[in-house]
């Protein structure tokens, strides 16, 4: 049975990571930026799983579990911060987030 | 099959801090019913921090390193980083006592988050595995994101929190990808295993070296964000200015100490094989960081923003010590971080003392004539400014001296020259604060009005107040009572400890450098 080479997974993961990073840099909506960050983390998870399978180790997979837990905690804190901000300014467009400058 | 024994002593100081954090939250929750005065919370936090510090000292006196399953370690190096962080957290609690009651009713959450963040920072210094570095980074960051936005009534605090959060989460994505790539190159996340694999020639093949160098670059970005290294420093001025000042003081010092603690262990222990490459990268980034930080600090009218840019510049000076990758350099950086606690936290303590209630910022002009109104505070501020500028006999001079001589020993002469020139540049804005305090009269309101007039839209609130002051000189003639509004005894104690440390460690640096270099040599070798 033929197998998909590990490199393919790594390349796919790199592409998803770059899409996520570009999204963070180019999108203007804080919520979408936040989703792009989550996409970056999940791209890394794909790499880790592929590498763990390549090496026949558990290490990579265990790291993924921790990353998922961290991502969940990040969502909880991040959305709370976003709501706290919206209560003040009523916008999440990052071009409007400009009280602090200089 | 047996379950391996776990040496819990290895994480004793962190455990004490975490348990204290949970206790603080519990006491806060029970305080209403049990009629406990919430004033005990900061004292409870200080008690926990002192107990953790005692545990750390006890562990380091016992000599043997304690390993926590090859994941974390309590050795001389990590315990020194921990002690620096505990000292910072203790001073941070003292600072907070003056401000927290004015900005929030949730004192328990404040101290709880501060302690949890400190625990994460302590794990940074102790981490032996990239996974633990990542988890510690997230623990400290998540708590700090919330602390930065702790002033719920202030839009700028929420904005600082949002910016810090978005960029921090972005950077942790890079850091994680760095871990994955280094894992791909070496098949391990353990720092010593990575170092051993690279020394044996793993990572030499084309694909492996691609993973390795891309991974090292990503790790550099991740650490760079946390220590505020240019060009990843954009969040720093905004987060530092918007955050409540006690939080700014705490995070500017402790985050740097923690991030450098892990940074140095990862790069010197795990990645010495790539050292020629990362040394050059760090040298260029250090140059950029120092220069950008100092140039931007020169043209700030808000003192907090000026100190934020100055802390970027100081990250650059500390990076100079890491460039050679020697144990001499590592101990120099550790001493730098130790001395930075006193001078920088002291400066932020003075800013806290001067803030007008609810304004959360001090403009440079508000310093005029401070020496007449509050001579002790002005003297302390002068000490901190001289020390930050690197003028002997204060501790900042020796910190810079050790860092630069470590770089000089490995032939980084041009980098040292850049550092020295930058120190001269930085003296301008540090000394201008001192000049204002001692040689301007308080009733020369133009200084305030001018600073406010020049300020950017970001300082709209402060600007409004400044203009009011200019229109009605009578109001500006009594700045003393507004300046006194926030000061309390614990704040004075914090300023005193910081000033004492700045002077005393500067006059007797030998015992401290000896302790640090002993601890570092035991871990990093020769």
């Amino acid at each position: 049975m033929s197998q998909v080479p590990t490199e393919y997974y790594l390349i796919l993961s790199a592409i998803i990571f770059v899409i996520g990073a570009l999204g963070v840099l180019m999108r203007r909506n804080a919520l979408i930026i936040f989703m792009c960050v989550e996409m970056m983390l999940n791209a890394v998870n794909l790499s880790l799983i592929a590498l763990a399978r390549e090496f026949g180790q558990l290490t990579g997979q265990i790291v993924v579990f921790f990353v998922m837990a961290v991502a969940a905690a990040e969502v909880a804190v991040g959305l709370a911060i976003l709501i706290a901000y919206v209560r003040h300014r009523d916008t999440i467009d990052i071009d409007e987030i400009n009280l602090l400058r200089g | 099959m047996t379950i391996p024994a776990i040496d819990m002593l290895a994480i004793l100081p962190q455990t004490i801090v975490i348990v204290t954090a949970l206790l603080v939250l519990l006491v806060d929750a029970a305080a209403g019913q049990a009629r406990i005065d919430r004033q005990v919370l900061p004292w409870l936090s200080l008690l926990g921090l002192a107990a953790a510090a005692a545990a750390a000292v006890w562990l380091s006196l016992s000599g043997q390193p304690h390993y926590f399953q090859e994941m974390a370690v309590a050795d001389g190096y990590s315990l020194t980083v921990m002690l620096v962080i505990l000292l910072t957290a203790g001073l941070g609690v003292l600072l907070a006592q003056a401000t927290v009651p004015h900005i929030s009713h949730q004192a328990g959450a404040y101290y709880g988050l501060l302690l949890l963040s400190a625990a994460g920072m302590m794990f940074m210094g102790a981490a032996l595995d990239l996974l633990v570095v990542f988890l510690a980074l997230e623990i400290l960051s998540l708590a700090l994101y919330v602390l930065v936005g702790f002033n719920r009534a202030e839009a700028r605090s929420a904005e600082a929190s949002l910016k810090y959060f978005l960029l921090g989460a972005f950077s942790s994505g890079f850091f994680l990808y760095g871990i994955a790539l280094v894992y791909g190159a070496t098949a391990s996340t353990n720092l010593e295993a990575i170092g051993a694999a690279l020394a044996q020639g793993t990572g030499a093949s084309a694909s492996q070296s691609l993973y390795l160098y891309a991974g090292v670059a990503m790790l550099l970005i991740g650490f760079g964000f946390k220590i505020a290294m240019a060009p990843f420093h954009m969040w720093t001025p905004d987060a530092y200015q918007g955050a409540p000042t006690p939080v700014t003081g705490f995070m500017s010092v402790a985050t740097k100490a923690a991030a450098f603690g892990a940074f140095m262990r990862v790069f010197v222990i795990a990645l010495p094989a790539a050292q020629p490459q990362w040394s050059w990268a760090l040298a260029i980034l250090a140059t950029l960081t120092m220069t950008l930080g100092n140039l931007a600090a020169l043209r700030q009218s808000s003192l907090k923003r000026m100190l934020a840019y100055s802390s970027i510049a100081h990250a650059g000076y500390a990076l100079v010590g890491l460039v050679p990758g020697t144990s001499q350099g590592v101990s120099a950086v550790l001493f730098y971080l130790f001395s930075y606690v006193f001078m920088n936290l002291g400066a932020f303590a003075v800013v806290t003392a001067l803030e007008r209630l609810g304004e959360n910022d001090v403009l440079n002009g508000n310093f005029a004539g401070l020496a007449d109104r509050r001579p002790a505070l002005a003297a302390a501020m002068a000490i901190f400014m001289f020390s930050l500028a690197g003028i002997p006999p204060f501790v900042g001079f020796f910190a810079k001296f050790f860092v630069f001589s470590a770089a000089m020993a490995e032939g980084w002469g041009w980098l040292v020259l850049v550092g020295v020139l930058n120190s001269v540049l930085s003296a301008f804005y540090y000394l201008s604060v001192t000049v204002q305090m001692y040689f301007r009269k308080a009733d020369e309101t133009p200084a305030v009005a001018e600073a406010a007039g020049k300020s950017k839209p970001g300082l709209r609130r402060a600007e409004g107040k400044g203009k009011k002051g200019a229109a009605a000189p009578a109001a500006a003639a009594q700045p003393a009572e507004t300046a006194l509004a926030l000061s309390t005894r614990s704040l004075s104690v914090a300023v005193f400890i910081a000033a004492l440390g700045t002077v005393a460690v500067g006059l007797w640096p030998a015992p401290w450098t000896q302790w640090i270099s002993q601890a570092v040599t035991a871990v990093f070798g020769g």
Side-chain angles (χ1 to χ4, degrees), chain B residues 135-437:
Chain B
L135 288 178
L137 194 74
E138 287 299 321
I139 293 172
L140 83 88
S141 305
L142 286 176
L144 276 181
Y145 299 147
V146 182
L147 280 178
V148 168
F150 211 77
N151 194 348
R152 292 284 302 278
E154 174 67 73
R156 284 192 284 164
S157 183
E159 176 176 322
S161 172
L162 183 58
K163 280 181 174 170
Y164 187 31
F165 169 74
L166 285 177
L167 286 171
F170 187 48
S171 79
S172 63
F174 279 98
F175 189 79
L176 189 65
Y177 203 30
I179 294 176
L181 289 170
V182 170
Y183 174 61
T186 60
S188 177
T189 54
N190 185 282
L191 298 186
E192 271 157 29
I194 291 171
L198 293 177
Q200 280 165 11
T202 318
S205 78
S207 69
Q208 277 175 337
S209 70
L210 173 71
Y211 297 160
L212 180 65
Y213 290 121
V216 172
M218 295 282 189
L219 289 179
L220 198 60
I221 295 176
F223 281 125
F225 259 102
K226 284 295 159 209
I227 62 167
M229 175 176 81
F232 315 113
H233 66 285
M234 297 83 69
W235 59 272
T236 316
D238 290 347
Y240 282 19
Q241 192 187 2
T245 312
V247 177
T248 314
F250 172 69
M251 71 191 266
S252 69
V253 177
T255 315
K256 248 187 204 92
F260 263 111
F263 196 174
M264 293 193 287
R265 207 194 279 264
V266 169
F267 275 64
V268 178
I269 299 277
L271 304 167
Q275 206 227 338
Q277 286 82 8
W278 61 251
S279 273
W280 268 100
L282 281 183
I284 293 163
L285 290 169
T287 308
L288 203 64
T289 310
M290 288 186 281
T291 317
L292 276 179
N294 280 324
L295 286 179
L298 274 175
R299 49 179 195 83
Q300 298 305 321
S301 56
S302 149
L303 191 72
K304 265 171 96 177
R305 223 172 159 81
M306 187 272 267
L307 284 172
Y309 280 110
S310 118
S311 90
I312 295 173
H314 280 275
Y317 301 132
L319 268 179
V320 171
L322 181 52
V323 166
T326 56
S327 72
Q328 189 198 354
V330 171
S331 36
V333 175
L334 214 49
F335 183 75
Y336 201 103
L337 296 169
F338 174 61
S339 59
Y340 195 61
V341 174
F342 296 113
M343 46 192 190
N344 207 46
L345 209 62
F348 277 110
V350 174
V351 176
T352 312
L354 286 177
E355 273 171 354
R356 300 172 192 189
L357 270 180
E359 192 168 306
N360 190 33
D361 205 348
V362 175
L363 292 178
N364 264 336
N366 296 8
F367 268 87
L370 186 67
D372 296 332
R373 304 198 306 264
R374 308 191 64 189
L377 203 61
M381 190 62 173
I383 290 174
F384 301 138
M385 289 294 123
F386 282 133
S387 182
L388 284 168
I391 294 167
F394 302 112
V395 70
F397 167 75
F398 293 98
K400 270 184 193 149
F401 175 75
F402 293 138
V403 163
F404 289 160
S405 60
M408 203 67 201
E410 295 293 310
W412 292 91
W414 65 270
L415 189 59
V416 173
L417 188 68
V418 171
V420 172
L421 287 178
N422 262 295
S423 300
V424 176
L425 190 64
S426 74
F428 279 108
Y429 58 85
Y430 290 130
L431 295 188
S432 90
V433 171
T434 320
V435 167
Q436 289 210 10
M437 288 191 302

